[in-house]
Amino acid sequence: MTTDSGAPWLIAGLGNPGPEYAGNRHNVGFMVVDLLAGRMGARFKRHGKAQAQVVEGRVGPPGPAGRRVVLVKPMSYMNLSGGPVTALRDFYKVPTARVVAVHDELDIDFGVLRLKLGGGDNGHNGLKSMTKAMGAEYHRVRCGIGRPPGRMPVADFVLKDFSSAERKELDWFVDRAADAVECLVTEGLERAQGSYNS
């Protein structure tokens, strides 16, 4: 697929649908795209062609310098994220290099961001599903959640809400991750990594 400069960016926040998952560590991707939608003054709506909710809008400066984006929340559960994201990539004719996955990352401390293009899935079921569906050459905004304490199983840890101490920092962290997404889309990966990789 060639890079068409007129194509929008597809920003996929990864998470699980339903109120019981809303505050989970695994749902930080949903939190970031919800904030981006709020900044646009838009609400997510179900898409007719994919099991997902979407918002279409622009980020960056007003006018032609702003970049078209489609914000996506797959409604398929985390381990099946690849199906809805790939369906929307094809529907909007987005090159894979303009797809961004915003997701939780165990191997990074809570509150730390890392941006990259391509790479492995590091055991993350949402990334595993996306990579299987479209290859690995999409961008990732990795939101650190740290490792589980003691012997707590990873699955239990990611499906728990952020701790009360973490929640004090969570709004700042989600805000910073949303800024990083906007910077990636408007100024490119290198600039975004220089500003936000901590």
Side-chain angles (χ1 to χ4, degrees):
M1 214 181 250
T2 55
T3 300
D4 166 17
S5 61
W9 284 74
L10 197 71
I11 316 297
L14 301 187
N16 286 308
E20 67 272 33
Y21 299 106
N24 289 180
R25 292 182 176 93
H26 224 16
N27 270 41
V28 70
F30 273 18
M31 297 173 195
V32 174
V33 292
D34 279 338
L35 179 60
L36 286 164
R39 290 178 179 182
M40 294 176 191
R43 283 172 180 256
F44 277 93
K45 294 189 173 82
R46 190 164 280 286
H47 195 275
K49 300 287 184 193
Q51 195 180 354
Q53 293 184 351
V54 301
V55 162
E56 296 178 41
R58 286 185 177 271
V59 299
R67 295 278 188 275
R68 281 177 62 218
V69 296
V70 180
L71 306 176
V72 180
K73 291 199 293 189
M75 292 286 118
S76 56
Y77 291 98
M78 182 68 88
N79 59 348
L80 299 171
S81 301
V85 176
T86 304
L88 291 167
R89 178 200 66 171
D90 295 346
F91 178 81
Y92 288 102
K93 299 179 171 57
V94 175
T96 302
R98 283 198 182 198
V99 175
V100 182
V102 185
H103 63 92
D104 57 305
E105 180 63 67
L106 286 159
D107 283 341
I108 303 174
D109 290 340
F110 172 76
V112 175
L113 291 173
R114 294 266 196 287
L115 288 81
K116 69 175 188 174
L117 173 63
D121 57 57
N122 216 13
H124 192 289
N125 288 330
L127 297 182
K128 205 175 284 183
S129 176
M130 282 182 61
T131 297
K132 188 175 175 190
M134 69 172 74
E137 289 306 299
Y138 53 90
H139 287 84
R140 297 101 190 276
V141 175
R142 303 157 75 206
C143 303
I145 60 167
R147 282 260 159 206
R151 294 173 177 234
M152 184 190 287
V154 164
D156 292 350
F157 179 69
V158 299
L159 293 175
K160 278 194 167 27
D161 287 2
F162 286 97
S163 70
S164 54
E166 288 168 341
R167 280 199 293 272
K168 290 179 182 147
E169 304 289 325
L170 188 58
D171 286 350
W172 169 85
F173 184 32
V174 168
D175 197 61
R176 186 170 161 77
D179 290 346
V181 170
E182 292 188 349
C183 184
L184 169 62
V185 168
T186 57
E187 300 184 51
L189 179 61
E190 214 169 292
R191 178 66 67 87
Q193 285 174 324
S195 300
Y196 293 97
N197 276 15
S198 36

